[in-house]
């Protein structure tokens, strides 16, 4: 695709632009945490779109801070959020480095993977409960509306872990269903809540 450039002299003479390119990453919904036990994105609810409009959906996590030490998890739904428990098979690994330089490590996380499980999928290891601890990153869902294929996902989050350390964590897998996924929920593995931060949902246009 050719890159079109305008300068200050020429732009004033432009009367119309028929094919000004628009971005491929489309903002859909932002939810700001406020001591929430769970955060859900449901198609058709509160302007959320999770259908064939976009082939790829991306969740962005911005400075998610919890009320205490916890894990962040997620699951999908095929029934508009009435239940969350789609069968998942996944894999996980992380790199981490302690603030005191006491440990630098890269390894597989067999405690975070799932094998044909309907449990919630971990997105990171323990997030510290200190006031300045948080997590940020990305979760990508591929073609959730497909009724032919399983639905792949990949995530990468960086976490201020409880030791404390910087923990860069990678999870990937698939929802083993040919039913369309139309809702996703984020939760913790205990009674801690999403105290502050934002989760933003985007759609990626088909090329």
């Amino acid at each position: 695709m050719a890159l079109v450039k305008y300068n200050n002299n020429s732009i004033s003479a432009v009367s119309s632009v028929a094919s000004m390119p628009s971005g491929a990453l489309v903002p859909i919904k932002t939810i700001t945490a406020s001591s929430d036990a769970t955060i859900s994105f449901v198609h058709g609810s509160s302007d959320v779109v999770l259908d064939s409009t976009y082939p790829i959906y991306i969740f962005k996590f911005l400075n998610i801070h919890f009320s205490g030490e916890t894990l962040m998890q997620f699951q999908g739904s095929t029934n508009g959020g009435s239940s969350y428990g789609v069968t998942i098979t996944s894999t996980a690994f992380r790199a981490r480095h302690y603030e005191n330089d006491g440990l630098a490590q890269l390894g597989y996380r067999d405690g975070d993977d799932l094998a044909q499980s309907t449990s919630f999928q971990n997105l990171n290891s323990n997030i510290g409960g200190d006031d300045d601890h948080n997590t940020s990153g990305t979760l990508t869902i591929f073609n959730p509306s497909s009724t032919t294929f399983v639905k792949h996902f990949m995530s990468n989050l960086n976490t201020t872990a409880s030791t404390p350390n910087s923990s860069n964590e990678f999870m990937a897998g698939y929802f083993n269903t040919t039913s369309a996924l139309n809702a996703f929920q984020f939760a913790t593995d205990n009674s801690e809540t999403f105290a502050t931060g934002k989760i933003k949902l985007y759609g990626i246009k088909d090329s």
Side-chain angles (χ1 to χ4, degrees):
M1 178 186 296
L3 180 63
V4 179
K5 296 182 179 179
Y6 298 99
N7 57 44
N8 290 336
N9 294 325
S10 64
I11 194 69
S12 61
V14 176
S15 58
S16 65
V17 180
S19 59
M20 184 74 79
S22 57
L25 190 65
V26 181
I28 296 173
K29 181 73 175 181
T30 297
I31 296 179
T32 300
S34 181
S35 299
D36 300 296
T38 61
I39 294 177
S40 301
F41 290 78
V42 180
H43 174 67
S45 174
S46 301
D47 300 320
V48 171
V49 176
L50 281 168
D51 61 7
S52 59
T53 301
Y54 304 103
I56 302 171
Y57 289 86
I58 294 180
F59 291 96
K60 295 283 189 180
F61 309 102
L62 283 75
N63 297 327
I64 305 296
H65 173 69
F66 295 88
S67 57
E69 187 173 329
T70 191
L71 299 174
M72 185 164 69
Q73 306 174 314
F74 91 109
Q75 247 290 5
S77 173
T78 60
N79 54 20
S82 295
S83 62
Y84 293 90
V86 184
T87 301
I88 293 175
T89 292
S90 62
T91 185
F93 73 95
R94 74 176 175 189
R96 60 177 176 166
H97 189 198
Y98 282 29
E99 282 186 5
N100 63 10
D101 204 21
L103 178 68
Q105 184 183 59
L106 172 66
Y108 188 81
R109 292 283 294 170
D110 57 7
D112 292 322
D113 60 9
L114 299 176
Q116 291 298 95
S117 172
T118 58
S119 298
F120 272 62
Q121 170 67 54
N122 290 343
L123 289 170
N124 45 25
S125 55
N126 274 6
I127 303 164
D130 292 359
D131 288 344
D132 63 344
H133 287 185
N134 64 357
T135 188
S136 296
T138 301
L139 167 65
T140 304
I141 312 287
F142 297 91
N143 204 12
S145 65
S146 172
T147 55
T148 302
F149 300 110
V150 301
K151 320 303 186 296
H152 294 277
F153 66 86
M154 297 189 302
S155 68
N156 177 209
L157 283 77
N158 200 78
T159 296
T160 313
S162 54
T163 310
N165 65 76
S166 176
S167 188
N168 190 210
E169 298 170 285
F170 298 82
M171 313 290 177
Y174 55 86
F175 292 91
N176 196 4
T177 179
T178 55
S179 297
L181 299 179
N182 50 26
F184 295 95
Q185 185 175 86
F186 300 93
T188 65
D189 72 326
N190 52 23
S191 59
E192 303 297 344
T193 61
F194 291 76
T196 59
K198 295 180 180 181
I199 302 179
K200 303 175 75 71
L201 172 63
Y202 298 85
I204 295 184
K205 293 180 181 179
D206 206 352
S207 58

